[in-house]
Amino acid sequence: MLRGLKAAGRTIVYTTHHLDEAEALCDRVGILVAGRLVVADAPQHLIGTFGASSRLLVPLGRIDEERARALPGVDGVTVQGGHLVLETRSTGKVLSALDAATGLDGVQTRTPSLEDVYLELTARRDPSPRTPRSSRHERLLRADRGGLPRAGQGQDDGLLHVRLPAPLPRRLRARLPGKAVEESGFSYLSYTASGVLSWGVANAAVFGIAFTLMQWRADDILRMIRMSPAPLSSVIGSRYVLALGVGLVQSVLFVGVAMLPGFGLVPASRWPLLVPVLVLGITTFLLLGVIIGSIADTPESVAGIANFLILPMAFLSGSFFPLDSMPEWLRHVSRVLPLRYLNDAVSAALTGRGGLSDIGVGCAGLVVFGVLFGAVAARFFRWTKSS
């Protein structure tokens, strides 16, 4: 498309971090360093003026280092892997001398690019050694040391691992995990399993998409997806299906372990209703993660916002502390939290602690929050850091 507009005589102002695109598409290139335009010229002229030396890769054994250094036009010689690397700004002269000395079979040529020009210009204005993405790596190291989730490089999901004790509800008078609770007939695990499962699924959905969106925007991947010919619905659909798959597999593993001897979870007869409940729950918290990923620009801000929202829900929605043990006003507060509805519906479907009406109310609450989160996500979604 851009080449077509260029052929039609249109003037295009094209901003990019991908210098290979600029070198291939642009007649003139301006390079900004520290917010200032330091040079503007044709790409090939910039490469000839500021670019690094060309490199000739000669298989080891063809010529020794001393003879290579003595060739006319050679500026430096190093050994890399199985090659002798000759640096030069007079490629033709060196190739002629090398041909006369040993022949050119197996010799490879590496020419400088606009990327080399940029690195040369930034090095002139900042003598400190530069490592690509070093600031992001440092943030990730700080996140690891602080116990925060990492945004993986090239990975789709970030996970938050938090160790929280599952408090024993005093009002239930449970004797041991797996034993029947005296007042209700349900095992202690029946009271805790559904809450832990709900919180785990919600947590994975929020952090997974939030870190992915933040990282994709920082790496300019969202902009490229927007400009690509692939339908946007396909990209969004694939991410949604992946999130559903991760959540459902996570749930199957959790329930499977809880049913092992020693834990003794016995699913209720209506356990198949757990599937649509989980689909609604994952969708709702996925949309919450989209909101977080749209407004946060760093791993630290994603972790801070998500923890601020999710961790209080774990206690106020009944995941780690029974609602019956809370003051009445806190029980009313829990009704404005989406995790409360996911907890109630999962508990009724998985363990039978509740009827079909509890599942229906829980699903209805998740639909309402899903619509609300979807509207907010559409309002705040950003393809780039600026828009």
Side-chain angles (χ1 to χ4, degrees):
M1 181 181 70
L2 292 176
R3 287 192 174 95
L5 293 172
K6 178 180 176 182
R10 302 288 182 84
T11 298
I12 304 170
V13 179
Y14 183 57
T15 62
T16 181
H17 289 128
H18 301 283
L19 297 180
D20 54 339
E21 295 180 2
E23 184 176 343
L25 296 172
C26 300
D27 296 318
R28 287 177 61 82
V29 173
I31 296 179
L32 295 172
V33 178
R36 294 187 177 185
L37 181 67
V38 296
V39 68
D41 208 334
Q44 293 307 316
H45 189 264
L46 290 175
I47 293 171
T49 304
F50 299 101
S53 302
S54 296
R55 295 179 294 277
L56 304 180
L57 279 63
V58 183
L60 285 177
R62 294 284 298 279
I63 186 173
D64 59 57
E65 289 190 46
E66 292 302 322
R67 289 183 62 195
R69 294 182 196 278
L71 293 175
V74 173
D75 299 324
V77 178
T78 57
V79 177
Q80 296 180 9
H83 293 88
L84 205 62
V85 180
L86 282 57
E87 296 188 7
T88 178
R89 292 183 180 271
S90 304
T91 307
K93 183 187 294 186
V94 175
L95 284 174
S96 297
L98 192 60
D99 187 23
T102 65
L104 298 179
D105 290 343
V107 176
Q108 303 175 41
T109 304
R110 297 288 186 269
T111 57
S113 66
L114 207 56
E115 184 82 24
D116 298 309
V117 175
Y118 177 77
L119 294 175
E120 171 70 16
L121 291 173
T122 53
R124 291 183 180 186
R125 286 156 177 79
D126 184 2
S128 62
R130 288 175 174 264
T131 301
R133 302 175 188 262
S134 60
S135 61
R136 188 176 71 180
H137 287 175
E138 182 62 28
R139 288 198 303 269
L140 297 180
L141 289 174
R142 289 199 302 269
D144 276 342
R145 290 192 291 268
L148 298 176
R150 294 193 303 167
Q153 297 174 6
Q155 298 177 0
D156 290 332
D157 297 294
L159 298 178
L160 175 68
H161 301 279
V162 180
R163 291 185 177 90
L164 292 173
L168 185 66
R170 289 179 297 175
R171 292 182 60 183
L172 300 180
R173 290 192 241 168
R175 299 172 185 169
L176 289 172
K179 300 295 183 179
V181 178
E182 293 178 355
E183 291 185 2
S184 66
F186 289 105
S187 68
Y188 171 65
L189 191 62
S190 298
Y191 286 90
T192 58
S194 57
V196 174
L197 174 60
S198 301
W199 182 81
V201 168
N203 190 67
V206 169
F207 277 92
I209 193 63
F211 273 106
T212 298
L213 280 180
M214 181 277 300
Q215 202 64 63
W216 281 10
R217 187 169 57 252
D219 292 344
D220 223 19
I221 295 175
L222 286 179
R223 181 186 64 84
M224 289 188 286
I225 291 175
R226 189 182 188 185
M227 296 175 61
S228 72
L232 187 59
S233 58
S234 299
V235 178
I236 296 175
S238 64
R239 289 298 310 169
Y240 178 65
V241 171
L242 177 62
L244 287 180
V246 170
L248 293 176
V249 169
Q250 177 184 2
S251 303
V252 169
L253 292 175
F254 180 90
V255 174
V257 170
M259 292 174 63
L260 291 175
F263 297 104
L265 176 67
V266 179
S269 59
R270 63 172 79 102
W271 67 264
L273 294 177
L274 184 64
V275 176
V277 169
L278 289 174
V279 169
L280 280 175
I282 293 169
T283 303
T284 299
F285 283 92
L286 197 70
L287 291 169
L288 178 59
V290 172
I291 298 173
I292 297 171
S294 297
I295 63 178
D297 290 323
T298 64
E300 292 85 352
S301 58
V302 169
I305 297 171
N307 281 323
F308 178 80
L309 295 175
I310 296 297
L311 287 179
M313 286 192 204
F315 294 94
L316 298 179
S317 298
S319 292
F320 294 103
F321 193 80
L323 291 175
D324 291 339
S325 298
M326 294 182 184
E328 185 175 357
W329 67 272
L330 270 183
R331 291 200 293 270
H332 291 310
V333 170
S334 70
R335 296 191 180 277
V336 300
L337 302 175
L339 190 56
R340 161 70 185 271
Y341 297 92
L342 180 59
N343 280 340
D344 289 349
V346 168
S347 179
L350 178 61
T351 66
R353 289 197 306 115
L356 293 176
S357 61
D358 294 299
I359 298 177
V361 171
C363 290
L366 290 172
V367 169
V368 171
F369 277 101
V371 172
L372 175 62
F373 291 158
V376 177
R379 170 64 180 82
F380 289 98
F381 183 83
R382 293 182 295 156
W383 293 99
T384 63
K385 288 187 177 181
S386 58
S387 63

